[in-house]
């Protein structure tokens, strides 16, 4: 794949605000307002398909969504494709499970069509920095999965962590697999709970992506 890349998922319509899409959006009901994700309800962002990462697929998807009075998504249509069916389908599958703020009519929520834009982007190694654990906070190292230990599984997993200004991790991705899903998930689950030293820009902490390798090794 050439230089290693990490995944950054950019949700143009955020938890609190929504921006207009770059292309006109239409629906069965005519003009639409941008969809706003309900910040009080957890919404899991789409996971970058592994095949798309390997092939370098990127792009923006614009969805038309029929939002019910309770904020649930009743119907989703791809208005503008990213150019890759895998990315489009992953966007529909994930965002269709989220809850949105319904449109109000005379002060009451009503069913309506809205739109949302989601951008899939790959970021080069140059935009990362190496993660350093903040030793002022407890950090439990990953425990070897029992099944992996019995089967002799070992390897190196590379993670990319989104480190917030306070050092906590808001997102974690597997950049390079150890070759064993159990080891990958154990490393991600444990290391995302640790605190890290945030990146400094002009003397101020800044939210950014950091890279970390974890080695699973069985001693003879």
């Amino acid at each position: 794949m050439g230089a290693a890349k990490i995944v950054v998922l950019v949700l143009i319509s955020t938890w609190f605000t929504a921006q207009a899409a770059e292309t006109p959006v239409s629906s069965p009901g005519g003009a639409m307002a941008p969809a706003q994700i309900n910040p009080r309800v957890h919404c899991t962002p789409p996971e970058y398909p592994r095949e798309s990462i390997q092939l370098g697929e990127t792009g923006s998807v614009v969805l038309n969504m029929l939002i019910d009075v309770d904020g649930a998504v009743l119907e989703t249509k791809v208005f503008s494709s990213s150019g890759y069916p895998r990315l489009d389908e992953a966007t529909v599958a994930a965002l269709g499970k989220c809850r949105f703020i319904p449109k109000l009519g005379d002060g009451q929520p009503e069913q309506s069509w809205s739109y949302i834009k989601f951008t899939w982007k790959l970021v080069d190694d140059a935009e990362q920095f190496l993660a350093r654990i903040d030793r002022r906070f407890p950090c439990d190292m990953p425990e070897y999965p029992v099944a992996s230990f019995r089967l002799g599984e070992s390897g190196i997993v590379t993670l990319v962590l989104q480190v917030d200004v306070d050092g906590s991790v808001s997102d974690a991705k597997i950049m390079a697999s150890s070759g064993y899903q159990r080891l990958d998930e154990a490393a991600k689950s444990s290391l995302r709970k640790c605190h890290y030293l945030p990146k400094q820009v002009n003397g101020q902490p800044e939210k950014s992506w950091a890279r970390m390798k974890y080695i699973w090794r069985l001693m003879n």
Side-chain angles (χ1 to χ4, degrees):
M1 185 177 64
K5 294 177 180 292
I6 66 169
V7 177
V8 174
L9 308 181
V10 183
L11 187 56
I12 301 300
S13 179
T14 67
W15 267 248
F16 304 102
T17 61
Q19 301 176 8
E22 296 173 353
T23 52
V25 181
S26 61
S27 74
M32 287 187 294
Q36 297 184 52
I37 293 174
N38 190 335
R40 294 175 297 177
V41 184
H42 177 69
C43 176
T44 302
E47 187 81 15
Y48 223 117
R50 286 181 179 270
E51 297 88 346
S52 296
I53 296 175
Q54 294 169 352
L55 295 171
E57 297 175 350
T58 62
S60 296
V61 188
V62 179
L63 303 180
N64 286 358
M65 312 182 83
L66 180 59
I67 310 298
D68 205 357
V69 293
D70 62 355
V73 179
L74 297 178
E75 187 177 351
T76 303
K77 297 181 179 181
V78 176
F79 173 79
S80 178
S81 172
S82 65
Y84 301 99
R86 265 189 300 264
L87 298 184
D88 296 347
E89 292 166 7
T91 308
V92 170
L95 296 184
K97 299 175 183 176
C98 297
R99 290 287 178 130
F100 295 81
I101 298 175
K103 179 181 177 181
L104 295 179
D106 296 325
Q108 298 297 318
E110 62 182 23
Q111 188 180 111
S112 63
W113 283 89
S114 297
Y115 71 88
I116 195 168
K117 180 182 178 181
F118 191 87
T119 297
W120 299 89
K121 183 181 179 182
L122 292 167
V123 178
D124 292 328
D125 268 350
E127 298 182 47
Q128 305 172 46
F129 74 102
L130 294 177
R132 292 184 296 161
I133 293 174
D134 190 338
R135 298 300 179 183
R136 296 173 300 173
F137 298 89
C139 177
D140 296 326
M141 290 295 100
E143 292 187 7
Y144 227 112
V146 175
S148 297
F149 184 84
R150 290 174 178 170
L151 294 171
E153 297 174 351
S154 62
I156 301 174
V157 56
T158 302
L159 304 175
V160 283
L161 311 169
Q162 191 170 48
V163 180
D164 281 334
V165 294
D166 63 355
S168 63
V169 176
S170 57
D171 198 6
K173 306 287 184 186
I174 296 169
M175 175 179 167
S177 173
S178 64
Y180 300 98
Q181 185 176 3
R182 270 188 296 263
L183 299 183
D184 296 346
E185 293 301 327
K188 184 174 77 168
S189 175
S190 181
L191 294 175
R192 73 175 301 161
K193 297 175 184 176
C194 298
H195 275 71
Y196 298 84
L197 297 174
K199 182 178 180 180
Q200 298 286 323
V201 177
N202 296 325
Q204 298 296 319
E206 183 178 87
K207 184 175 182 177
S208 57
W209 288 93
R211 184 174 70 256
M212 170 173 275
K213 286 187 178 181
Y214 191 83
I215 301 174
W216 295 96
R217 179 182 298 161
L218 291 169
M219 306 301 291
N220 294 328

